[in-house]
Amino acid sequence: MAPWRRLSVDREARLQVQWIVICFGVLLSFANNSSGYFYSDSSAEASNDRFCFCQLQGTIDDCSCSVDTVDYYNNVKIYPRLKSLLLKDFFRYYKVHLNKECPFWVDDSKCAMRFCHVEHCEEKDIPPGLKGDASSYHKYIKEVQTLTNCNEDLDVELGYLNTSISDKAHKEFQRWADYDEAQDNFCILDDHEPGSEYVDLLLNPERYTGYRGESARRIWSSIYLENCFQAHSVKKKNAYSAMIPYQDMARNEVCLEHRVFYRMISGLHSSINIHLCANYLLSEKSSLGFVSPAGVWGPNMEEFERRFSPHMTDNEGSHWLRNLYFAYLVEMRALAKAAPYLRNEEYFTGLERDDREVKTAVKDLLTVIEGFPAHFNETAMFSGGTSAIKLKHEFREKFMNISKIMDCVGCDKCRLWGKLQVQGMGTALKILFSGKFDDKIDTGFGTKLKQQSPALRLKRGEIVALFNAFGRLSTSIHELEEFRQRMR
């Protein structure tokens, strides 16, 4: 073929391709602006709704920051640090009582799935600094565990005076101290009770085990319908509702303290649901068809949509997801507020190198948390005199009751993570509202900085629960972004 002829054919082919592209563009444009001759509008809207319900935007209610800010700060700065920190021995071993009877109803409906079982630690696996008598408040202080002579009397005079006090009196003093300390608690602490055991959280990850049905529904029904604040104008909805419709909150028909309580519980519920959807039991068999001892786990998009999509939640699902961000901000504020105290902790396990690494990592994480630009403002709560004191007491009692309900969960693994996350949230509330962690006091002539009391102390279990509970919320926000990516 002559060269000029070949060029002419190539040019003609290019023109044909260009015309095809132009015509396709015109048709596509017409389709997008027509009543639907070329595609179904309903399917496009459904696809749009499917994507938009978890693509949150704008300011988080009762806070001053946006969803985008939290997403960036968590997924880029906080989540990677937390993920690494929570692998350390100090945070992975959690002491808990999983065999307490339900105090509210007789229920022997235990989960029959093999994945509901909790693997307890063997004595040899527990770090040396965590062994011993759990009834001692100061057993985790480094200096106490490194004394070379346990019979050494560090203060002869004081030791002499103590000999005149009977063992019975000592026990009474301890009971008084326990009572005084318990007045600041927002949840039950049972790691010192007979029957409590250490659990390795890494061997017992939070995921969907198959626990469902009436027993699971009763837990959330009791939390929402019996232990949350009741509003006269609010109609009772199903057990998975946040109880107060979003529109009522948006119109400020509910006071700030009640809104905070609801959003904390709803945010915790949303976080747990995201974990279950992200770590779902997809199959008990391996890819080769054999029964797998560990099971096959992974994200379940259908389950995620069932729990949060608008048409399955009466348009409340996206608001429940926003409550996750709210709970995250409240717990992050607690960590920032307690940062001066937490920096001075030894995080002692008896393994010197690990303890040093944990302390460095905690300081780094706290610095990042303190740098967050828009923390939750807890000082706006409980500021109305006598009525505020009564409201705080009711707030505390209701949350305490929720921590008791965790002993009614029929799945051991679900009970473990429920107790840990409720205890972590309760510790955050203790930091925010007990007054012991406030760095300023009102003197009547203005405010002044308060010196932190040397007796101020969080128990090891509280610290472990606080960081792990925040880690669960952080993981949920990270997993939510992964669900968005899958939907895209």
Side-chain angles (χ1 to χ4, degrees):
M1 182 182 294
W4 61 268
R5 179 60 178 167
R6 186 170 59 250
L7 289 174
S8 177
V9 171
D10 291 345
R11 181 172 180 275
E12 183 176 347
R14 287 198 300 272
L15 287 174
Q16 289 177 348
V17 171
Q18 290 174 358
W19 274 110
I20 292 173
V21 171
I22 292 171
C23 291
F24 180 79
V26 171
L27 291 175
L28 185 60
S29 176
F30 180 73
N32 286 333
N33 292 281
S34 69
S35 58
Y37 288 105
F38 298 97
Y39 74 108
S40 170
D41 279 335
S42 59
S43 64
E45 289 175 1
S47 177
N48 191 47
D49 289 341
R50 182 175 181 266
F51 170 71
C52 288
F53 79 86
C54 67
Q55 184 63 41
L56 310 177
Q57 295 178 340
T59 303
I60 301 169
D61 300 317
D62 295 316
C63 298
S64 59
C65 66
S66 68
V67 170
D68 289 342
T69 300
V70 175
D71 278 337
Y72 168 76
Y73 217 83
N74 177 73
N75 296 340
V76 175
K77 296 186 176 184
I78 292 180
Y79 171 75
R81 288 175 167 85
L82 266 175
K83 184 178 180 181
S84 174
L85 178 64
L86 297 180
L87 297 176
K88 298 296 186 180
D89 283 356
F90 184 88
F91 292 106
R92 68 183 286 184
Y93 291 101
Y94 176 61
K95 196 166 190 180
V96 62
H97 197 326
L98 294 176
N99 297 314
K100 298 174 71 173
E101 293 186 1
C102 174
F104 300 109
W105 59 78
V106 177
D107 190 359
D108 57 357
S109 56
K110 292 290 185 179
C111 176
M113 296 285 291
R114 59 191 173 99
F115 300 108
C116 291
H117 177 68
V118 169
E119 297 288 343
H120 292 278
C121 297
E122 295 185 18
E123 183 73 14
K124 63 181 179 62
D125 296 327
I126 302 172
L130 305 186
K131 300 176 183 179
D133 180 13
S135 63
S136 173
Y137 281 108
H138 303 293
K139 77 179 286 294
Y140 301 109
I141 300 177
K142 181 178 180 181
E143 288 75 11
V144 171
Q145 299 206 28
T146 53
L147 286 175
T148 56
N149 184 0
C150 295
N151 297 319
E152 181 181 355
D153 193 347
L154 301 181
D155 192 319
V156 177
E157 183 180 0
L158 183 60
Y160 172 76
L161 291 175
N162 280 344
T163 61
S164 66
I165 302 175
S166 66
D167 290 340
K168 182 178 179 180
H170 273 297
K171 292 179 180 178
E172 288 300 316
F173 295 155
Q174 186 61 60
R175 288 180 59 192
W176 296 348
D178 291 345
Y179 177 81
D180 291 340
E181 183 178 4
Q183 302 315 298
D184 295 323
N185 292 339
F186 282 75
C187 59
I188 302 297
L189 307 178
D190 58 15
D191 59 343
H192 63 284
E193 297 179 3
S196 60
E197 296 180 86
Y198 276 107
V199 174
D200 186 341
L201 297 176
L202 300 186
L203 294 181
N204 298 277
E206 184 182 19
R207 54 194 183 186
Y208 181 73
T209 61
Y211 176 60
R212 61 169 63 189
E214 185 57 35
S215 177
R217 283 192 293 271
R218 178 186 261 185
I219 298 298
W220 288 111
S221 294
S222 299
I223 290 174
Y224 283 127
L225 304 181
E226 298 176 22
N227 294 285
C228 282
F229 293 94
Q230 298 297 323
H232 297 295
S233 62
V234 175
K235 295 180 180 180
K236 291 185 178 181
K237 303 175 73 177
N238 62 68
Y240 292 92
S241 166
M243 273 294 295
I244 297 182
Y246 173 75
Q247 293 302 325
D248 290 351
M249 288 193 180
R251 290 192 295 265
N252 290 324
E253 294 182 8
V254 182
C255 71
L256 174 62
E257 289 79 6
H258 288 190
R259 292 201 305 272
V260 169
F261 192 94
Y262 280 111
R263 288 194 168 121
M264 291 287 287
I265 300 304
S266 177
L268 172 63
H269 194 179
S270 297
S271 179
I272 291 173
N273 279 338
I274 291 174
H275 301 153
L276 303 187
C277 295
N279 297 279
Y280 198 89
L281 179 58
L282 301 177
S283 175
E284 293 192 41
K285 296 183 178 180
S286 66
S287 58
L288 299 177
F290 300 106
V291 174
S292 171
V296 180
W297 305 82
N300 187 322
M301 292 297 302
E302 290 75 16
E303 186 68 16
F304 178 74
E305 292 188 56
R306 186 183 73 80
R307 293 176 185 258
F308 293 106
S309 65
H311 66 280
M312 296 295 292
T313 62
D314 196 23
N315 291 316
E316 290 287 331
S318 62
H319 305 307
W320 299 345
L321 291 174
R322 297 179 79 87
N323 290 339
L324 160 66
Y325 285 76
F326 179 81
Y328 175 89
L329 289 172
V330 172
E331 292 196 16
M332 182 163 65
R333 168 57 188 154
L335 284 166
K337 188 171 185 175
Y341 167 82
L342 294 170
R343 281 195 179 93
N344 292 327
E345 278 293 297
E346 291 293 338
Y347 302 98
F348 180 68
T349 65
L351 306 174
E352 185 176 352
R353 179 178 177 180
D354 286 358
D355 296 348
R356 187 168 58 249
E357 290 177 354
V358 168
K359 191 167 185 178
T360 301
V362 168
K363 289 181 178 180
D364 175 55
L365 175 65
L366 293 173
T367 299
V368 173
I369 287 175
E370 287 177 312
F372 185 73
H375 278 288
F376 173 74
N377 179 19
E378 78 282 1
T379 61
M381 297 176 59
F382 307 118
S383 57
T386 305
S387 60
I389 296 175
K390 181 180 178 181
L391 182 59
K392 182 190 288 189
H393 176 75
E394 188 179 4
F395 191 104
R396 174 183 166 273
E397 288 298 314
K398 287 183 179 295
F399 200 88
M400 183 79 72
N401 215 35
I402 290 174
S403 76
K404 295 177 183 177
I405 291 177
M406 293 300 104
D407 287 317
C408 301
V409 177
C411 165
D412 286 345
K413 194 165 290 182
C414 306
R415 179 184 293 200
L416 164 65
W417 285 100
K419 288 171 75 77
L420 182 142
Q421 290 174 84
V422 168
Q423 184 179 346
M425 188 171 282
T427 303
L429 295 174
K430 174 180 178 178
I431 292 170
L432 294 177
F433 301 121
S434 68
K436 290 186 175 181
F437 291 85
D438 295 345
D439 57 359
K440 295 180 182 178
I441 56 174
D442 189 355
T443 63
F445 302 96
T447 60
K448 70 175 184 179
L449 290 176
K450 183 178 74 173
Q451 296 295 321
Q452 197 173 73
S453 169
L456 178 63
R457 179 163 294 279
L458 288 174
K459 295 182 179 179
R460 178 185 175 273
E462 292 178 298
I463 296 175
V464 172
L466 176 66
F467 277 86
N468 272 285
F470 184 61
R472 293 284 77 203
L473 296 174
S474 174
T475 300
S476 292
I477 292 176
H478 183 266
E479 288 172 341
L480 185 58
E481 178 59 30
E482 292 187 352
F483 275 116
R484 293 190 189 112
Q485 296 291 346
R486 288 177 176 271
M487 286 188 170
R488 295 190 184 105

